[in-house]
Amino acid sequence: MPRRRSPEDGPSFKGWARPGPVAPGGVALEPGETLDGLCGHWRIFQLEKGHRFSVDDLVTAWYGTTWCPRAGRIADLGSGIGSVALLAAWRCPGAVVHTVEAQEQSLRLARKSVQYNGQEARVFPSLGDLRDPDLFAGEAPFDLVTGTPPYWPEGDRLPAAHAQAVPARLEVRGGIADYALAAAQLLAPGGLFACVFPNDQRDRALAALRAADLLCLHRREIIFKDGEPYGLDVFAAARRQDLPGDFGTRAECPEVETPILIRRTDGTVDPGIARVRLALGFPPGL
């Protein structure tokens, strides 16, 4: 099924040159799917009416690779359609990336995207449950672990309309606490766990990190629209046992960075999120 080309498909967009490797392509688009820009020349397969990559994925990959820029081995938990894993792979071109996803439909899309972008030799999507005590046996430890946990327990919110999107919204197979525990088991000494969670549940996220004996080293708030309170927090945490002296008793979130705004009150894109987009090889004005 041919895909209709858009102005963003070329090597440049409005004079902005796309950075990074060119995707070899050659993977067919199937009915009900779209093929969309992700980073640089790379694209991602998504269901037209299912779960689609979002700003949560964008900022998690960006924040994790910003604070762990030389990661050689990366793991992504609950990886869905592979957006965070591919973004991290694009930012860390020498890294090997392993992912775990429980939904076969999402895993199928992730594998198509990995093949489309020519990354089969270093990005390895797998089927499984992130709560498995033998997760990534033989592959751990990792310099960077990323995760975009679902935000609410089942019953707290209505499920998504499409079944594939439900686990991305509700805690069907574990929540933030499970992600933090898995990360703590998988991290190499000095490695980082990067995750995202709603800013109105900040205390819950910090409690999950503490329960896993992870120390939050950095936190940054992402504001969806100027003047509106709801947004996201991105966190970068390390295992407390890996930190020297009394660092681990005194330094939780010692650096709370300036919030990043996505939309101004008039709806225009703020330069803060535009800089993040640029760092991920994505046209800043789109």
Side-chain angles (χ1 to χ4, degrees):
M1 177 179 176
R3 181 177 63 84
R4 185 176 61 190
R5 292 183 64 83
S6 68
E8 308 98 74
D9 287 341
S12 64
F13 176 75
K14 295 183 178 178
W16 179 84
R18 294 178 181 277
V22 175
V27 181
L29 193 64
E30 298 174 41
E33 296 176 357
T34 64
L35 182 59
D36 305 288
L38 180 67
C39 49
H41 297 275
W42 288 10
R43 307 186 76 83
I44 188 166
F45 287 89
Q46 309 187 88
L47 293 183
E48 219 171 336
K49 297 182 179 179
H51 174 64
R52 300 175 68 82
F53 89 90
S54 66
V55 69
D56 310 41
D57 306 327
L58 191 82
V59 298
T60 300
W62 167 75
Y63 206 61
T65 54
T66 293
W67 286 111
C68 190
R70 298 299 297 271
R73 296 184 66 77
I74 300 172
D76 185 45
L77 306 175
S79 55
I81 59 175
S83 44
V84 175
L86 285 167
L87 286 161
W90 189 89
R91 284 266 280 177
C92 298
V96 171
V97 184
H98 288 268
T99 81
V100 61
E101 169 55 37
Q103 288 198 95
E104 292 190 13
Q105 190 174 32
S106 295
L107 185 68
R108 179 185 65 81
L109 292 166
R111 285 174 170 159
K112 288 183 68 171
S113 297
V114 168
Q115 183 182 353
Y116 181 93
N117 295 306
Q119 300 304 304
E120 306 99 309
R122 68 187 192 99
V123 181
F124 303 100
S126 63
L127 184 70
D129 190 317
L130 64 91
R131 298 168 296 180
D132 183 347
D134 295 321
L135 181 64
F136 298 132
E139 301 297 343
F142 297 95
D143 306 308
L144 173 65
V145 178
T146 56
T148 52
Y151 292 161
W152 301 287
E154 289 186 278
D156 274 22
R157 294 290 191 282
L158 291 173
H162 195 288
Q164 183 235 8
V166 172
R169 176 178 171 85
L170 302 179
E171 295 170 352
V172 176
R173 298 183 185 89
I176 178 67
D178 299 287
Y179 278 70
L181 286 169
Q185 294 298 315
L186 295 170
L187 284 172
L192 283 180
F193 171 48
C195 66
V196 64
F197 218 59
N199 60 356
D200 62 356
Q201 297 191 64
R202 182 176 301 148
D203 290 345
R204 186 177 171 215
L206 290 171
L209 294 175
R210 285 192 293 269
D213 211 22
L214 294 170
L215 181 72
C216 177
L217 300 178
H218 310 279
R219 175 175 64 81
R220 195 157 192 174
E221 194 171 14
I222 312 295
I223 303 297
F224 291 134
K225 191 170 183 180
D226 195 18
E228 297 181 3
Y230 185 71
L232 305 170
D233 281 328
V234 280
F235 303 89
R239 295 192 306 181
R240 199 178 296 270
Q241 70 193 56
D242 297 333
L243 300 170
D246 65 349
F247 190 95
T249 64
R250 301 176 56 190
E252 181 170 270
C253 290
E255 182 179 0
V256 178
E257 301 166 89
T258 304
I260 292 173
L261 180 64
I262 296 178
R263 295 281 177 184
R264 299 165 170 160
T265 51
D266 63 1
T268 57
V269 175
D270 189 81
I273 196 65
R275 287 191 289 270
V276 174
R277 287 169 171 263
L278 278 169
L280 291 162
F282 201 81
L286 293 180

